[in-house]
Amino acid sequence: MSFDLDAIKTDPKKAIEGVELPYRAGSKLIIAKHNNKDAQNYRMVEMIKHGELLTKVHEGEATDEETAQADQLAIDIETWVLAYHILKGWSGIKRGGKALKYTPELGFDLLSDPHNSDFREDVIRMSQNNANFRPEEKAKAQVKKAAASS
């Protein structure tokens, strides 16, 4: 028995630019792969920028205030990654009955809001579903296979 790695290829363009995926009530999200190259690079740059603080925390030399600051920094970095490099856009999203146009800044605000934790988790889950980022021929084959088994 063997496994063919071609079965799990990723389309690099989809991974970075995102794919339009159905969301709720007919809305759609444009989602990129969770650990795409741009997301990884952003995390690395931010870690380098804040290296002194993060090193103090890692080595146990940080004050309680510095540790709290580093904890918030980690949350903010990941939220910026989600807003700029994972959630690329949407259609059919409203708030208070008013249509919202996607911007990374609005994405950051919404993804940061604890009242929107389900939305944040949905974005993460969709970005971690590797099947969403398969080359077109693999994606079509998986849909056919799923339809045949149901």
Side-chain angles (χ1 to χ4, degrees):
M1 177 117 5
S2 63
F3 176 73
D4 186 349
L5 284 173
D6 285 345
I8 58 169
K9 278 186 176 177
T10 296
D11 180 325
K13 186 175 179 180
K14 287 181 179 181
I16 297 286
E17 294 178 10
V19 293
E20 188 175 72
L21 299 170
Y23 189 49
R24 297 173 188 243
S27 64
K28 295 180 181 179
L29 302 180
I30 301 171
I31 301 287
K33 191 171 169 102
H34 194 74
N35 272 325
N36 71 59
K37 176 180 56 99
D38 291 346
Q40 291 176 16
N41 288 342
Y42 182 85
R43 287 183 191 104
M44 183 176 60
V45 166
E46 289 300 309
M47 287 172 56
I48 291 168
K49 243 197 283 192
H50 302 283
E52 185 178 329
L53 173 64
L54 298 174
T55 298
K56 284 177 79 173
V57 171
H58 177 72
E59 293 176 353
E61 298 171 359
T63 65
D64 289 346
E65 183 179 319
E66 289 169 324
T67 300
Q69 182 183 359
D71 289 346
Q72 186 59 52
L73 176 65
I75 292 167
D76 289 347
I77 289 171
E78 192 56 29
T79 305
W80 279 116
V81 166
L82 290 171
Y84 273 92
H85 302 294
I86 307 300
L87 180 58
K88 298 291 196 160
W90 60 44
S91 62
I93 299 292
K94 298 178 179 181
R95 181 171 240 175
K98 185 176 179 181
L100 297 177
K101 181 178 176 357
Y102 186 77
T103 66
E105 293 77 14
L106 176 59
F108 180 83
D109 290 344
L110 294 173
L111 293 162
S112 297
D113 185 341
H115 296 100
N116 295 323
S117 62
D118 286 354
F119 179 66
R120 181 185 178 103
E121 290 169 17
D122 289 344
V123 169
I124 292 169
R125 181 182 42 74
M126 293 167 81
S127 74
Q128 291 176 333
N129 182 347
N130 294 331
N132 289 333
F133 309 101
R134 299 278 181 251
E136 211 52 45
E137 67 275 5
K138 294 291 178 202
K140 287 178 183 173
Q142 287 178 338
V143 167
K144 284 181 184 175
K145 185 178 178 181
S149 67
S150 58

